[in-house]
Amino acid sequence: MDLLQLADLQPADIRQIWALAGGAPGPALAGTVAWSFEGNGIRTRTTFIQAFRQLGLAFTELPHLLKTGERPEDLAGYLDPFYALYVVRESDHPRLSAFAAASRRPVINAMSAQGHPCEVLTDAYYVDSRIKPLREARVCLWGPSTNVFRSWHELARVMGFGLVQVCDRRFHEALPNVQFVEPSALPDAVDVVVTDSWPASAEAGATTQADLAPLTEEHLAAMGHPALLPTPPFTLGRELAVDPLAYPGFVGYAQKELLLPVQAAILRWVLASEKRASTGDAHADR
């Protein structure tokens, strides 16, 4: 089974991935991973490569895999015989989806312009296991919607919990499980605040400074001093006016350590799903 977006998963799929992340290491896996990362991807690249090694998987980098002029079906047709799965960071989500549809191997979205499913599965696993069960947790997204926030929106819909998103009214949307509010109407008793770099389109369209309100110490205090989980890379003076290192509730460094076990769990899960499909037990997985 592919992991392109969280909207494609069931609650049981997510719980199984998290159970694998928190469980004992399983047996070594066989096969070779093809990986291709657009941009820096410093943390995601680091932890996926370590996960490949930890699981006993060989891995080959294919730089700019989907940036060529070849059709996705030709790329998949030529490459599938040599690889067990693909891990791809590619901004062009439709092209990534087309490649996944053409391939006979699982494809993991390591980030696209539409979503960041592996990152958000890790963030949510931390909240659910270290702060409060997601169904009880008060999770606040700070700022206009980004690919990270889109994955949070999908996760909330799949898992059936609520989110609050704080941003200027012009960025509000009608989404299930998401309550949009303005910075002047802050939620109280928040458990964790997640930030992300503002999208360039939002900054380009801002008409006043208030349109894009950086998160401040005063905001955090008004929300009950929640845990602070900024999505890296964060920029002081843009989405954040408070230095996370000076805030007692900053959990970013410890939380991102979970990228490795969660990504290893995702690899195990997609390969196990593929094995079931190949033996006829999960025809609907592909």
Side-chain angles (χ1 to χ4, degrees):
M1 181 171 181
D2 302 320
L3 178 52
L4 297 181
Q5 56 190 25
L6 297 182
D8 295 334
L9 303 185
Q10 298 297 318
D13 299 325
I14 294 167
R15 290 294 177 187
Q16 185 177 5
I17 291 170
W18 289 349
L20 289 169
L29 302 178
T32 300
V33 181
W35 67 278
S36 179
F37 272 45
E38 178 184 347
N40 289 330
I42 296 169
R43 282 151 293 273
T44 310
R45 187 189 307 251
T46 294
T47 47
F48 260 119
I49 290 175
Q50 290 199 32
F52 302 154
R53 292 191 178 117
Q54 185 183 89
L55 296 175
L57 293 165
F59 50 96
T60 301
E61 182 180 11
L62 302 178
H64 312 297
L65 169 63
L66 298 179
K67 296 301 185 188
T68 73
E70 290 186 71
R71 297 181 303 172
E73 54 266 39
D74 293 325
L75 285 168
Y78 286 122
L79 293 174
D80 278 2
F82 303 102
Y83 297 107
L85 75 156
Y86 302 90
V87 177
V88 183
R89 185 181 177 106
E90 165 61 49
S91 59
D92 188 340
H93 190 87
R95 186 161 169 82
L96 176 62
S97 296
F99 175 75
S103 176
R104 293 176 287 110
R105 309 298 184 208
V107 178
I108 295 173
N109 175 7
M111 193 187 80
S112 72
Q114 180 172 312
H116 206 341
C118 300
E119 183 93 0
V120 170
L121 280 177
T122 304
D123 293 351
Y125 176 58
Y126 181 87
V127 174
D128 191 71
S129 61
R130 307 291 174 84
I131 296 179
K132 187 179 288 187
L134 276 175
R135 285 187 175 274
E136 303 172 15
R138 184 78 158 160
V139 178
C140 172
L141 309 179
W142 188 277
S145 293
T146 63
N147 57 352
V148 170
F149 288 2
R150 295 290 181 205
S151 288
W152 270 105
H153 298 163
E154 293 176 7
L155 183 68
R157 188 163 65 252
V158 170
M159 299 294 284
F161 66 91
L163 293 167
V164 176
Q165 184 163 338
V166 180
C167 55
D168 185 76
R169 180 175 296 275
R170 70 190 182 92
F171 300 118
H172 291 191
E173 305 171 62
L175 295 174
N177 300 84
V178 185
Q179 176 191 4
F180 282 85
V181 301
E182 295 190 77
S184 59
L186 291 179
D188 56 10
V190 170
D191 294 299
V192 59
V193 177
V194 182
T195 69
D196 194 18
S197 298
W198 291 332
S201 58
E203 288 192 297
T207 56
T208 68
Q209 183 63 33
D211 283 352
L212 291 169
L215 182 66
T216 68
E217 290 187 61
E218 290 73 22
H219 292 138
L220 290 165
M223 291 186 286
H225 300 285
L228 173 59
L229 182 52
T231 303
F234 52 79
T235 305
L236 299 183
R238 290 181 72 238
E239 69 269 23
L240 288 169
V242 55
D243 186 340
L245 295 184
Y247 178 66
F250 172 59
V251 296
Y253 295 163
Q255 186 274 328
K256 291 307 176 193
E257 290 179 12
L258 294 181
L259 282 170
L260 176 56
V262 172
Q263 288 169 358
I266 289 168
L267 292 164
R268 284 195 180 279
W269 180 77
V270 297
L271 287 172
S273 298
E274 184 69 8
K275 184 176 181 179
R276 290 195 300 273
S278 67
T279 57
D281 294 332
H283 296 294
D285 277 357
R286 296 291 292 159

